[in-house]
């Protein structure tokens, strides 16, 4: 239990400590809709329409142009913020210090209570799953830390984008279905179904990879009651909030925000921008200099070996993880706007990370020689350092850069201190001091986590 608590605290702190720009359109449009729901009980964002390019238009009014999951999850944070801040005048452009600060308070509260929380829970779920698969706390910790801090999951968990939460919910669903095959099947089936339903409410395309997970779960449980419970929980979690939001926003349950997007003509191609996968795009997603996943998470180069080792123990689980991961990548490669615009790494491929990270614990447990583990730990250390740099600087680097990890993040943002930390945003610290402050807290927690893992291994 101590290991799980320390892991949760380390991951939650790391995600909540750093921040993204509150007025990034993907952040702001979700918050504008949540603010409107809290303040007026409707979903129109007309008054904010000039402050975001991400919007939908219906019948002369402006709305959120995305699935409403993150907006609905952020409602408690928006309501709480109403009691601690006073709204400044809405500016004619996004470049207004008082309004940006007002929005930053809301983003920080939403991240702490939604994105960072889900990522911390997913890290603990992955640890528990990997511990059951390998019997090794060290291997389980390697997989969990890789997932949460060694990949862009960290950076995306500082935002209200849906990518990291969907990845988190996939991990939680796999964990729950695994546990459901061993004990209390109905309870864990409900958790899994709700996680997959919520993932679809956040990003509608997640239903494709989520279906692969669900089919594996149905095969694993093999009993009518838990399978039905999972299906019902998923349907309720997806449909009830979606219909409620649509009724409030549009007066009909049969409308999606994507239908009202006008400024992105690619969304009119295929199914809301989804066409057919392109092999060249897939290569760019994995290894391309501008968006390649392996550049921002080099530890994932070990993932195929991890799935191979996992297949020796649990073939059906490994096959499911590989199939679901492939679906995520193919969907990204089929999207007209596959590169995600402003992004550090391939943001639409982020849900693949949890599926791949589950196998990394098996990879670690298969290592025999000390130098093999030292090499794997070093690769993880480099990945964590890279993602600390990204999370503190800019997870949404402009699409004009050819290799954003270097320029602007390491070449410009860090030397100039263009970073976002909790102390520098609110307490007057310099950004670099904010990072040092984080390290002074996080490193002792990490050391205590390492000591606890070693103690549990020696106790066994």
């Amino acid at each position: 239990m101590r290991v799980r608590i320390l892991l949760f605290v380390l991951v939650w702190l790391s995600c909540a400590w750093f921040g993204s720009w509150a007025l990034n359109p993907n952040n702001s449009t979700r918050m504008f809709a949540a603010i409107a729901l809290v303040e007026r009980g409707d979903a129109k964002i007309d008054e904010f329409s000039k402050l975001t390019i991400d919007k939908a238009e219906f019948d002369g009014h402006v709305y959120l142009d995305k699935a409403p999951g993150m907006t609905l999850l952020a409602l408690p944070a928006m309501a709480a913020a109403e009691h601690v801040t006073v709204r400044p005048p809405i500016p004619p452009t996004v470049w207004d210090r008082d309004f940006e600060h007002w929005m930053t308070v809301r983003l920080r509260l939403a991240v702490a209570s939604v994105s960072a929380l889900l990522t911390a829970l997913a890290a603990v779920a992955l640890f528990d799953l990997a511990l059951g698969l390998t019997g090794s706390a060290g291997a389980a910790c390697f997989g969990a830390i890789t997932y949460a801090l060694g990949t862009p999951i960290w950076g995306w968990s500082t935002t209200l984008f849906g990518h990291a939460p969907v990845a988190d919910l996939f991990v939680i669903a796999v964990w729950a279905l695994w546990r459901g095959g061993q004990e209390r099947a109905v309870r864990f089936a409900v958790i899994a179904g709700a996680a997959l339903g919520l993932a679809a409410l956040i990003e509608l395309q997640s239903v494709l990879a989520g279906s692969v997970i669900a089919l594996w779960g149905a095969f694993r449980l093999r009993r009518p009651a838990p399978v039905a419970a999972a299906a019902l929980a998923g349907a309720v979690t997806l449909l009830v909030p979606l219909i409620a939001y649509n009724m409030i926003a549009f007066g009909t349950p049969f409308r999606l925000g994507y239908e009202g997007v006008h400024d992105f003509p690619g969304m009119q191609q295929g199914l809301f921008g989804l066409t057919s996968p392109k092999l060249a795009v897939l290569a760019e997603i994995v290894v391309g200099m501008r968006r390649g996943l392996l550049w921002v998470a080099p530890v994932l180069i070990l993932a195929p070996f991890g799935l191979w080792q996992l297949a020796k123990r649990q073939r059906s689980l490994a096959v499911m993880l590989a199939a679901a991961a492939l679906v995520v990548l193919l969907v990204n490669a089929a999207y007209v706007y596959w590169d995600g615009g402003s992004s550090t790494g391939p943001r639409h491929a982020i849900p693949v990370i949890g599926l791949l990270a589950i196998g990394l614990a098996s990879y670690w447990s298969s290592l025999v020689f000390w130098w093999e583990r030292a090499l794997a730990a070093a690769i993880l250390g480099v990945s964590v350092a890279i993602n600390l740099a990204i999370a503190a600087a800019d997870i949404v680097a402009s699409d004009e850069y050819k290799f954003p990890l270097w320029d602007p993040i390491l070449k410009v943002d860090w030397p100039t201190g263009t970073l976002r930390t909790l102390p520098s945003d609110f307490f007057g610290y310099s950004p670099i001091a904010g990072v040092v402050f984080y390290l002074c807290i996080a490193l002792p927690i990490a050391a205590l986590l390492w000591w606890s893992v070693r103690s549990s291994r020696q106790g066994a």
Side-chain angles (χ1 to χ4, degrees):
M1 180 59 71
R2 180 172 59 188
V3 171
R4 290 171 175 82
I5 292 172
L6 289 169
L7 177 62
F8 178 92
V9 170
L10 177 62
V11 172
W12 181 86
L13 174 73
S14 299
C15 296
W17 193 272
F18 299 102
S20 62
W21 186 38
L23 294 176
N24 175 283
N26 264 281
N27 281 327
S28 63
T29 193
R30 290 178 165 96
M31 287 192 289
F32 292 154
I35 291 166
L37 287 167
V38 167
E39 291 184 348
R40 300 189 308 274
D42 68 45
K44 300 182 185 69
I45 61 170
D46 298 347
E47 60 190 321
F48 303 110
S49 62
K50 294 182 179 180
L51 303 181
T52 179
I53 59 173
D54 286 359
K55 53 193 174 186
E57 296 183 27
F58 298 101
D59 304 321
H61 294 287
V62 181
Y63 299 88
L64 171 72
D65 66 339
K66 308 181 187 306
M70 292 303 289
T71 287
L72 298 177
L73 289 173
L75 287 177
M78 299 303 114
E82 288 292 302
H83 299 288
V84 297
T85 59
V86 177
R87 184 200 280 199
I90 299 174
T93 69
V94 296
W95 306 108
D96 182 274
R97 184 181 299 274
D98 291 339
F99 185 77
E100 181 177 343
H101 179 78
W102 185 77
M103 289 289 289
T104 299
V105 171
R106 279 149 179 76
L107 178 62
R108 288 293 195 161
L109 289 173
V111 164
S113 60
V114 180
S115 305
L117 179 61
L118 283 173
T119 296
L121 290 173
V124 173
L126 197 153
F127 174 88
D128 188 71
L129 170 60
L131 183 62
L133 291 169
T134 65
S136 166
C141 197
F142 180 82
I145 293 295
T146 292
Y147 170 72
L149 302 180
T151 72
I153 289 290
W154 188 352
W156 292 114
S157 297
T158 69
T159 75
L160 270 188
F161 290 55
H163 313 310
V166 168
D168 299 333
L169 291 162
F170 280 176
V171 170
I172 291 169
V174 173
W175 163 80
L177 290 169
W178 172 260
R179 290 291 301 270
Q182 299 172 317
E183 57 177 326
R184 295 174 288 184
V186 172
R187 177 185 301 180
F188 285 108
V190 168
I191 295 172
L196 292 176
L198 183 55
L201 184 66
I202 292 171
E203 290 189 349
L204 296 177
Q205 72 273 19
S206 71
V207 73
L208 299 173
S211 295
V212 177
I213 299 171
L215 288 173
W216 169 79
F219 173 78
R220 176 169 173 77
L221 298 178
R222 296 187 186 181
R223 283 172 282 173
V227 172
L232 180 61
V236 169
T237 306
L238 169 61
L239 295 177
V240 171
L242 180 60
I243 291 172
Y245 172 82
N246 282 351
M247 292 301 296
I248 293 171
F250 311 121
T252 173
F254 305 110
R255 179 173 284 177
L256 298 175
Y258 294 109
E259 297 176 57
V261 175
H262 299 297
D263 295 334
F264 295 90
M267 295 296 289
Q268 309 306 317
Q269 299 182 34
L271 180 62
F272 299 125
L274 289 179
T275 57
S276 59
K278 314 297 189 299
L279 186 59
V281 170
L282 185 60
E284 286 293 320
I285 291 168
V286 177
V287 297
M289 292 286 289
R290 193 165 69 95
R291 287 290 181 270
L293 182 59
L294 292 182
W295 290 103
V296 291
V299 70
L300 291 182
I301 200 169
L302 304 175
F305 304 103
L307 292 178
W308 178 261
Q309 292 298 328
L310 179 60
K312 295 178 181 179
R313 306 179 186 209
Q314 297 290 335
R315 178 170 295 181
S316 67
L317 175 59
V319 170
M320 179 277 290
L321 293 172
L326 182 61
V327 169
V328 172
L329 293 174
L330 290 177
V331 169
N332 191 175
Y335 188 38
V336 172
Y337 300 111
W338 67 269
D339 63 349
S342 296
S343 175
T344 307
R347 67 183 180 92
H348 294 298
I350 292 304
V352 80
I353 292 174
L355 303 168
L356 298 177
I358 290 172
L360 287 176
S362 293
Y363 172 77
W364 179 270
S365 68
S366 73
L367 301 179
V368 176
F369 301 106
W370 69 267
W371 59 266
E372 294 177 306
R373 294 194 173 185
L375 178 60
I379 296 173
L380 175 57
V382 170
S383 290
V384 170
I386 287 172
N387 284 283
L388 169 60
I390 293 171
D394 197 0
I395 193 64
V396 286
S398 172
D399 59 358
E400 68 187 58
Y401 295 104
K402 296 180 179 179
F403 186 40
L405 175 60
W406 169 244
D407 183 11
I409 290 173
L410 296 178
K411 180 181 177 181
V412 178
D413 291 344
W414 273 81
T416 60
T418 309
L419 313 174
R420 289 188 174 89
T421 71
L422 193 64
S424 57
D425 277 354
F426 296 105
F427 305 116
Y429 286 69
S430 72
I432 294 297
V435 174
V436 172
F437 194 179
Y438 162 76
L439 292 174
C440 289
I441 300 173
L443 289 178
I445 296 174
L448 188 56
L449 175 61
W450 175 79
W451 178 82
S452 299
V453 168
R454 284 184 58 86
S455 297
S456 65
R457 184 174 60 193
Q458 293 169 357

